[in-house]
Amino acid sequence: QKEVEQDPGPLSVPEGAIVSLNCTYSNSAFQYFMWYRQYSRKGPELLMYTYSSGNKEDGRFTAQVDKSSKYISLFIRDSQPSDSATYLCAMSRGVTGANNLFFGTGTRLTVIP
Amino acid sequence: DSGVTQTPKHLITATGQRVTLRCSPRSGDLSVYWYQQSLDQGLQFLIHYYNGEERAKGNILERFSAQQFPDLHSELNLSSLELGDSALYFCASSLGLAGHHEQYFGPGTRLTVT
């Protein structure tokens, strides 16, 4: 079993829709939860991170972490064609553990004008 | 633009050969991470250097090695290349250990082994 599971999609939505992207994980030691966006043939771009459980909002993006369920989500409001990309969740164990990120396989999103 | 640079952008080489991938971190960042991205495995952590010292190893093959130089740039050396080593190789940098969760990725090097 992979430590981080993510539905690969693809996911196709009309412009203006609310998008929900999710990941589950198995390692309860994960403390930091990140979302990256990756356009085709580009490097991953950090969107936002959350420490421990809770919600975080940044413009049209909201990240949620539920550590009790080992489940994280990213919501995109008023989706735009420019949001079309692959979205990767990532997690880490924190400063005292190894600092590398564990990634989901990514969900490919297409927003149709 | 993340501020992380990687060279070369593309590399085509034959099986059995050796290549070197180069990464320059963002100004001020002390940590450099190397990741491999393939279609079937996704992004996999290879190795982490912090201020010139190896900090952690992931799924890095013995044929692969890396180092971080005093000016903080890093190189990933891949030797005895096999067809299965074809992938995108990314480096990422972060301020340090406390800021490890904010990793900024370079544009990647696409390696094709023929």
Side-chain angles (χ1 to χ4, degrees):
Chain A
Q1 182 191 5
K2 285 192 170 185
E3 291 195 80
V4 182
E5 300 278 359
Q6 184 174 9
D7 185 341
L11 186 60
S12 188
V13 301
E15 183 176 353
I18 296 174
V19 176
S20 172
L21 303 166
N22 312 292
C23 289
T24 59
Y25 63 95
S26 56
N27 190 338
S28 57
F30 288 142
Q31 296 289 333
Y32 289 86
F33 304 89
M34 282 65 69
W35 286 96
Y36 282 82
R37 176 175 63 196
Q38 186 174 22
Y39 292 112
S40 182
R41 296 184 174 271
K42 301 287 187 184
E45 171 195 6
L46 178 64
L47 286 175
M48 55 200 307
Y49 72 88
T50 307
Y51 173 70
S52 194
S53 281
N55 294 357
K56 189 170 185 178
E57 188 173 317
D58 184 359
R60 297 184 294 111
F61 297 88
T62 299
Q64 289 185 352
V65 174
D66 182 349
K67 291 189 72 179
S68 62
S69 303
K70 296 190 177 69
Y71 187 87
I72 72 170
S73 301
L74 178 71
F75 297 95
I76 307 174
R77 291 184 299 281
D78 186 24
S79 55
Q80 302 295 310
S82 58
D83 295 328
S84 298
T86 297
Y87 289 79
L88 300 151
C89 63
M91 306 174 189
S92 72
R93 288 175 286 202
V95 179
T96 54
N99 296 148
N100 57 286
L101 304 183
F102 293 81
F103 282 87
T105 49
T107 300
R108 181 173 293 182
L109 170 68
T110 300
V111 180
I112 303 167
Chain B
D1 185 356
S2 67
V4 179
T5 61
Q6 286 187 251
T7 57
K9 280 189 175 179
H10 303 279
L11 206 46
I12 301 174
T13 189
T15 54
Q17 295 299 303
R18 172 190 169 94
V19 296
T20 297
L21 281 52
R22 183 187 168 101
C23 168
S24 292
R26 292 187 319 161
S27 177
D29 284 359
L30 299 179
S31 275
V32 170
Y33 308 78
W34 286 96
Y35 293 87
Q36 179 192 58
Q37 187 174 40
S38 59
L39 280 174
D40 56 341
Q41 293 290 322
L43 263 167
Q44 299 284 315
F45 166 69
L46 296 177
I47 197 163
H48 169 207
Y49 276 84
Y50 171 71
N51 203 19
E53 293 191 6
E54 182 184 300
R55 174 78 179 176
K57 274 186 173 180
N59 301 322
I60 188 166
L61 300 171
E62 285 191 15
R63 302 183 284 108
F64 295 2
S65 65
Q67 52 184 328
Q68 186 180 27
F69 295 87
D71 68 351
L72 301 176
H73 91 271
S74 178
E75 291 181 357
L76 179 67
N77 301 296
L78 315 177
S79 61
S80 302
L81 285 167
E82 300 175 1
L83 295 178
D85 296 328
S86 296
L88 267 169
Y89 291 84
F90 289 103
C91 82
S93 72
S94 69
L95 272 175
L97 303 181
H100 76 283
H101 51 284
E102 291 186 85
Q103 293 186 20
Y104 294 88
F105 282 73
T109 293
R110 182 175 295 276
L111 173 66
T112 303
V113 182
T114 61

